[in-house]
Amino acid sequence: MLFEGKFTEDGFDNRITRLFGIKYPIIQAGMIWASGWKLASAVSNAGGLGIIGAGSMYPDTLKEHIQKCKQATDKPFAVNLPLLYPDIDKHVAHVIEENVPIVFTSAGNPKTWTAKLKENGITVVHVVSSAKFAKKSEDAGVDAVVAEGFEAGGHNGREETTTLCLIPAVRESITIPLIAAGGIGAGRAMYAVMALGAEGAQFGSRFVCTPEASSHLAFKQAIIAAGEGDTALVLKSLTPVRLIKNPFYQKVHAAEEEGSSKEHLMELLGRGRAKLGMFEGDLAEGELEIGQVSGMIHDIIPAGELVEKAANSPFRF
Ligand SMILES: Cc1cc2nc3c(=O)[nH]c(=O)nc-3n(C[C@H](O)[C@H](O)[C@H](O)COP(=O)(O)O)c2cc1C
């Protein structure tokens, strides 16, 4: 066997499928403006782990999504909490009240909330982009780590380490279960990262192109139209993010090339760009977060079919 774990009559058995109580080691990433209860429940029903992305939700909206998700699936699901969210304490209160079984924390210090979540019986996973922070997360008491490479869509680490180099390095630095992210859009990539030492694969960009994702159809079509080299990382001096190279990206990139101050970049960014692009479908002025794997996404397919194909037909998909 090339990797840890084994195929069973009913899916796959390894530390990640056992930790979450799922059939396949496939995790659908928490994504702002894309992953609400519809996407999360569809993935969980198909045997993966669906995640509600709380980063674009008011606390009451999150509560509603959790309640709808519980009605739509009896399988485990998770909530992603970006830790820099201004109302993070309200988000944490809702996941505890609603008995959410698993939380993926990101963009912040795992020391701050891990103990409280775990005291309430929640399995905690933290997202990192380096071996150093993977070790810090393990020391903070998380149950597993997601290591996300430079290819990934959305906010990204400053180290620029690609998934191929990151996963073996993280594997050597921690003993707890490891999930790989960044550039995984099909079964063959999932099994490749498992050969590198991961025990699960988090797919982000690929799940945006499903009917269940709440992203605007125009954004989904822009992803399908995107080819090799059509995304780039910008805003490295503020919060690095990988975007489609649309007119908004060009403006930000030009400002960075001219050596603009952080203040000027923040002013250019303004408020609500991500919602404008990804949820409202303004392809010129909005922020369009997506990964390099967009060059390999050619269609919109149901989330459940994606899970099945990735797990069971890796070399035809
Ligand atoms: C549209 C979009 C929104 C995202 N939003 C979040 C988020 O709210 N929280 C987070 O931790 N990661 C977010 N990410 C990163 C994903 O969780 C995931 O790690 C990443 O997409 C994996 O790389 P891939 O896009 O190559 O599959 C986002 C990614 C995308 C494409």
Side-chain angles (χ1 to χ4, degrees), residues 29-32 80 82 106 148 151-154 181-184 202-205 208 278 289-291 293:
M31 293 179 287
I32 54 164
N80 166 236
S106 57
E148 191 201 63
E151 303 89 328
I184 307 163
Q202 173 164 287
F203 295 54
S205 297
V208 177
M278 298 190 283
E289 299 182 12
I290 212 72
V293 76

Side-chain angles (χ1 to χ4, degrees), residues 107-108 126-137 145-152 154-167 169-170 173 181 233-242 292:
H126 190 64
V127 184
V128 299
S129 55
S130 68
K132 184 174 149 195
F133 280 95
K135 181 74 184 94
K136 286 194 171 179
S137 304
V145 159
V146 175
E148 191 201 63
F150 180 60
E151 303 89 328
H155 290 280
N156 210 303
R158 290 198 163 76
E159 303 86 358
E160 305 201 351
T161 312
T162 59
T163 302
L164 195 68
C165 293
L166 179 65
I167 300 308
V170 174
S173 77
L233 194 83
V234 278
L235 291 168
K236 220 175 156 185
S237 59
L238 290 178
T239 48
V241 62
R242 181 173 294 284
Q292 288 185 348

Side-chain angles (χ1 to χ4, degrees), residues 162-195:
T162 59
T163 302
L164 195 68
C165 293
L166 179 65
I167 300 308
V170 174
R171 182 67 290 160
E172 282 184 10
S173 77
I174 57 168
T175 57
I176 55 175
L178 167 61
I179 298 162
I184 307 163
R188 55 193 165 192
M190 173 173 84
Y191 290 113
V193 292
M194 286 172 67

Side-chain angles (χ1 to χ4, degrees), residues 50-54 62 66 77-81 95 100 102-105:
I51 306 187
I52 298 173
L62 173 63
I66 295 170
F77 68 94
V79 169
N80 166 236
L81 298 178
V95 300
V100 171
I102 305 157
V103 165
F104 279 49
T105 55

Side-chain angles (χ1 to χ4, degrees), residues 24-146:
Y24 304 122
I26 296 177
I27 291 95
Q28 162 254 309
M31 293 179 287
I32 54 164
W33 305 113
S35 65
W37 69 271
K38 273 191 194 159
L39 180 57
S41 59
V43 172
S44 290
N45 280 332
L49 183 74
I51 306 187
I52 298 173
S56 51
M57 295 178 182
Y58 292 117
D60 287 350
T61 318
L62 173 63
K63 194 178 175 83
E64 196 184 317
H65 277 262
I66 295 170
Q67 288 173 347
K68 287 188 171 159
C69 199
K70 286 198 282 195
Q71 277 162 19
T73 185
D74 57 3
K75 302 270 186 338
F77 68 94
V79 169
N80 166 236
L81 298 178
L83 296 174
L84 298 176
Y85 185 87
D87 268 336
I88 184 70
D89 47 342
K90 289 194 185 138
H91 271 354
V92 169
H94 285 329
V95 300
I96 293 172
E97 276 156 32
E98 292 295 330
N99 296 314
V100 171
I102 305 157
V103 165
F104 279 49
T105 55
S106 57
N109 186 344
K111 276 192 188 157
T112 325
W113 290 101
T114 300
K116 166 122 185 168
L117 292 165
K118 286 189 64 75
E119 272 160 28
N120 284 278
I122 298 173
T123 298
V124 182
V125 182
H126 190 64
V127 184
V128 299
S129 55
S130 68
K132 184 174 149 195
F133 280 95
K135 181 74 184 94
K136 286 194 171 179
S137 304
E138 183 174 62
D139 293 345
V142 304
D143 297 287
V145 159
V146 175

Side-chain angles (χ1 to χ4, degrees), residues 215-263:
S215 327
H216 197 282
L217 182 60
F219 176 41
K220 296 178 187 178
Q221 286 164 341
I223 297 167
I224 292 169
E228 195 176 55
D230 284 348
T231 72
L233 194 83
V234 278
L235 291 168
K236 220 175 156 185
S237 59
L238 290 178
T239 48
V241 62
R242 181 173 294 284
L243 303 177
I244 290 186
K245 294 176 179 170
N246 69 343
F248 168 68
Y249 159 87
Q250 301 294 357
K251 265 189 238 170
V252 175
H253 178 62
E256 281 188 314
E257 290 285 286
E258 286 162 13
S260 290
S261 64
K262 281 188 185 177
E263 292 70 30

